[in-house]
């Protein structure tokens, strides 16, 4: 299986801050990388697919970049509604695998 | 709007078989892959397996010997069976769907159902 790592595992930032999360794959996955947001007690929500494509209806303050093994997820201006855990997911190889998550809260 | 809803027992005894059904409404089950994903309490997400509407399945090798996913197109449902469960199978189980003809990312999710394995 392809192993996904994320850093940091958690972060605390102020409203309006720029937040960056990194995701690394154990091997080259091209751009087959997705990002999800999960709020407590809720199902994950797709934010970004294929590394940099914003899912329909997702605010433009969310963005993604990267290819190969290294990827970045950014919230340009952190909002209170963005408090959640964020997961990356690869689908280059079966089984699809998820990163361990990054918990984001407000300072 | 496509909606997915998991149903099934919330408590399963060790060594028994966990059985869940996902009912799809607001859209057809054809032309899509249908997936089960689980999340142990306080932990991350694990992909269990997928089924194409035609019946072709793919399973996580770590669970393959215990997993069966099936689809009933006439009822717009797909199902999960996980045999010989242990406490390690306690998790919230989600059903999910991706884009047409692709098993790449998951746009639509059920609300999730907690299954506890305990005697």
């Amino acid at each position: 299986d392809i192993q996904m790592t994320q850093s940091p595992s958690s972060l605390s930032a102020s409203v309006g801050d720029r937040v960056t999360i990194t995701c690394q794959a154990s091997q080259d996955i091209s751009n087959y990388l997705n990002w999800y947001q999960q709020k407590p007690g809720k199902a994950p929500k797709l934010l970004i697919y294929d590394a940099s494509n914003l899912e329909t209806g997702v605010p433009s303050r969310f963005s993604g970049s990267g290819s190969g093994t290294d990827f970045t997820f950014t919230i340009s201006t952190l909002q209170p509604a963005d408090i959640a855990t964020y997961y990356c997911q690869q689908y280059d190889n079966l089984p699809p695998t998820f990163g361990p998550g990054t918990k984001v809260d407000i300072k | 709007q496509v909606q997915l809803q998991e149903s099934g027992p919330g408590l399963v005894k060790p060594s028994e078989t966990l059985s869940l059904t996902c009912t799809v409404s607001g859209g057809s089950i054809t032309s899509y892959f249908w997936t089960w994903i689980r999340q142990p309490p306080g932990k991350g997400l694990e992909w269990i397996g997928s089924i194409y509407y035609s019946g072709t399945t793919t399973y996580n090798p770590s669970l393959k010997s215990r997993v069966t996913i099936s689809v009933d197109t006439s009822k717009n449902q797909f199902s999960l069976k996980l045999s010989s469960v242990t406490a390690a199978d306690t998790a919230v189980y989600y059903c999910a769907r991706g884009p047409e003809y692709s098993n790449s990312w998951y746009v639509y999710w059920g609300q999730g159902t907690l299954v506890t394995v305990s005697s």
Side-chain angles (χ1 to χ4, degrees):
Chain A
D1 296 5
I2 295 177
Q3 305 303 314
M4 308 300 293
T5 58
Q6 287 182 235
S7 62
S9 56
S10 65
L11 66 89
S12 188
S14 299
V15 172
D17 281 356
R18 183 180 185 88
V19 168
T20 299
I21 299 168
T22 62
C23 175
Q24 187 168 59
S26 59
Q27 64 188 66
D28 189 333
I29 58 169
S30 185
N31 67 329
Y32 301 136
L33 189 284
N34 309 313
W35 290 96
Y36 298 84
Q37 174 193 67
Q38 186 179 33
K39 297 184 177 181
K42 300 294 187 182
K45 174 186 176 182
L46 178 70
L47 299 180
I48 303 283
Y49 63 93
D50 282 349
S52 61
N53 295 292
L54 196 67
E55 172 64 5
T56 302
V58 173
S60 59
R61 65 180 181 274
F62 296 104
S63 64
S65 65
S67 66
T69 60
D70 296 303
F71 302 85
T72 300
F73 172 81
T74 300
I75 307 173
S76 61
T77 309
L78 186 67
Q79 300 299 309
D82 302 335
I83 300 313
T85 299
Y86 294 84
Y87 294 94
C88 60
Q89 174 238 325
Q90 68 80 24
Y91 67 97
D92 182 56
N93 274 14
L94 287 172
T97 48
F98 294 84
T102 295
K103 187 174 182 180
V104 175
D105 64 24
I106 298 289
K107 190 181 296 182
Chain B
Q1 175 74 333
V2 175
Q3 293 187 314
L4 287 70
Q5 178 68 58
E6 305 91 349
S7 59
L11 181 64
V12 181
K13 289 182 168 55
S15 80
E16 295 190 343
T17 296
L18 178 160
S19 296
L20 295 174
T21 295
C22 183
T23 300
V24 180
S25 59
S28 174
I29 206 162
T30 58
S31 306
Y32 295 98
F33 288 88
W34 300 94
T35 296
W36 289 98
I37 293 166
R38 71 180 182 178
Q39 185 172 36
K43 297 188 178 181
L45 298 157
E46 181 180 31
W47 185 87
I48 299 171
S50 293
I51 188 164
Y52 195 48
Y53 76 99
S54 60
T56 302
T57 54
T58 310
Y59 300 134
N60 191 321
S62 68
L63 298 168
K64 188 174 184 177
S65 63
R66 300 194 291 131
V67 173
T68 302
I69 298 176
S70 59
V71 64
D72 187 337
T73 55
S74 67
K75 295 182 178 179
N76 252 29
Q77 294 178 333
F78 64 107
S79 298
L80 168 70
K81 291 188 184 300
L82 182 65
S83 64
S84 305
V85 297
T86 69
D89 296 310
T90 293
V92 174
Y93 286 76
Y94 294 102
C95 55
R97 197 209 85 180
E100 197 170 15
Y101 307 121
S102 175
N103 194 18
S104 50
W105 55 79
Y106 307 104
V107 178
Y108 296 103
W109 295 68
Q111 66 186 24
T113 187
L114 174 63
V115 179
T116 302
V117 179
S118 175
S119 56

